[in-house]
Amino acid sequence: MIALWLLTAVLGLAVGSFLNVVIWRVPRGESVVQPASQCPRCGTPVRPRDNIPVASWLLLRGKCRDCGAPISRRYPLVELATGLVFVVMTARFGSDAALPAFLYLAAIGVALWMIDLDVKRLPNAIVLPSYVVSGGLLAIAAAATGEWDDLLRAAIAMAALYGFYFLLAFIYPAGMGFGDVKLAGVLGLYLGWLGWAEVIAGGFLGFLFGGVVGAALMAVRRAGRKSQIPFGPFMLAGAFTAILWGGALADLYLDGVLG
């Protein structure tokens, strides 16, 4: 098991390095393949030895090798965050056939979190293909385990959460973007694979986290009632929390209500 954790940690660091490119280029409509990464000040392409996740930033002391321009701390932090989330998902699912699907969710989750904070938008270029990729990976997991009921529940939950968010966006379009609606369907697919407790917990926690943070920002005068606060990170935080502890939270709630 430790070997699997180490493998996914290294994979996560490598994926995180690629996500830095995705986070910067996708909102700008640029290719994530060409051109190769380069220093934004001097335009020198990044050498392979300077493209090792985290380690290269530390060895270069956060500066371009050629012109000395500072390299944002955000790059190694995204790499570390992706590696950490990959390890957490591996600890949650182990060698389960659904692990690749949830590692994919971890990757797009990190990218969408950062992009939504940057530009207050959830790009279709990431969200829409995720329906196909996620559905395909979960279908492979269902075929490997024979748990087709899980896949059916996932599809129903996807439609249910999408419909719920669509209704909210229709009723109050100023408070809910359509990007959030599309992301809700993807998250519903994953939460539904695990169970209805996770679907309910994930949906509720997203609004809870958003409400708490929004109230805190208003309390310290960092936001007002009309401030636009990206909701995607809260949806993702709620979903990831439910993936890890959704069943336990539901049991705790029922124990508290029913005694």
Side-chain angles (χ1 to χ4, degrees), residues 71-104:
I71 303 172
S72 174
R73 296 176 183 176
R74 181 163 128 167
Y75 291 103
L77 289 177
V78 167
E79 292 163 354
L80 285 171
T82 308
L84 176 61
V85 178
F86 269 44
V87 170
V88 170
M89 285 296 181
T90 304
R92 167 66 174 83
F93 292 98
S95 57
D96 191 280
L99 177 61
F102 283 87
L103 292 181
Y104 175 79

Side-chain angles (χ1 to χ4, degrees), residues 5 11 13 18 25 34 56 64 80 96 106 114 129 132 145 179 188 195 201 216 230 236 253:
W5 289 13
L11 176 62
L13 291 172
F18 175 68
R25 295 188 184 184
Q34 295 291 338
S56 292
C64 172
L80 285 171
D96 191 280
M114 298 303 299
V132 177
T145 61
L236 289 163
Y253 173 78

Side-chain angles (χ1 to χ4, degrees), residues 216-234:
L217 290 175
M218 287 191 288
V220 298
R221 301 182 184 276
R222 295 291 299 274
R225 292 184 178 277
K226 295 184 178 180
S227 298
Q228 289 188 337
I229 300 175
F231 193 56
F234 302 117

Side-chain angles (χ1 to χ4, degrees), residues 174-187:
M176 182 71 63
F178 200 64
D180 299 327
V181 176
K182 288 176 279 191
L183 176 60
V186 176
L187 297 180

Side-chain angles (χ1 to χ4, degrees), residues 55-224:
S56 292
W57 188 89
L58 293 173
L59 292 172
L60 292 171
R61 298 182 180 180
K63 296 180 181 180
C64 172
R65 181 184 295 276
D66 296 281
C67 69
I71 303 172
S72 174
R73 296 176 183 176
R74 181 163 128 167
Y75 291 103
L77 289 177
V78 167
E79 292 163 354
L80 285 171
T82 308
L84 176 61
V85 178
F86 269 44
V87 170
V88 170
M89 285 296 181
T90 304
R92 167 66 174 83
F93 292 98
S95 57
D96 191 280
L99 177 61
F102 283 87
L103 292 181
Y104 175 79
L105 175 63
I108 65 167
V110 171
L112 291 172
W113 182 301
M114 298 303 299
I115 291 172
D116 206 14
L117 289 177
D118 283 345
V119 300
K120 296 181 174 63
R121 183 162 55 88
L122 298 167
N124 286 336
I126 298 176
V127 178
L128 295 184
S130 295
Y131 280 91
V132 177
V133 176
S134 301
L137 290 172
L138 290 176
I140 292 173
T145 61
E147 298 293 341
W148 293 105
D149 288 348
D150 292 345
L151 187 63
L152 176 60
R153 185 177 60 242
I156 296 172
M158 176 188 71
L161 211 55
Y162 182 99
F164 176 67
Y165 271 79
F166 183 89
L167 181 62
L168 291 178
F170 179 78
I171 295 173
Y172 185 50
M176 182 71 63
F178 200 64
D180 299 327
V181 176
K182 288 176 279 191
L183 176 60
V186 176
L187 297 180
L189 186 66
Y190 283 96
L191 295 171
W193 172 268
L194 298 175
W196 289 112
E198 284 79 3
V199 175
I200 295 171
F204 171 76
L205 288 171
F207 289 100
L208 176 63
F209 293 156
V212 170
V213 172
L217 290 175
M218 287 191 288
V220 298
R221 301 182 184 276
R222 295 291 299 274

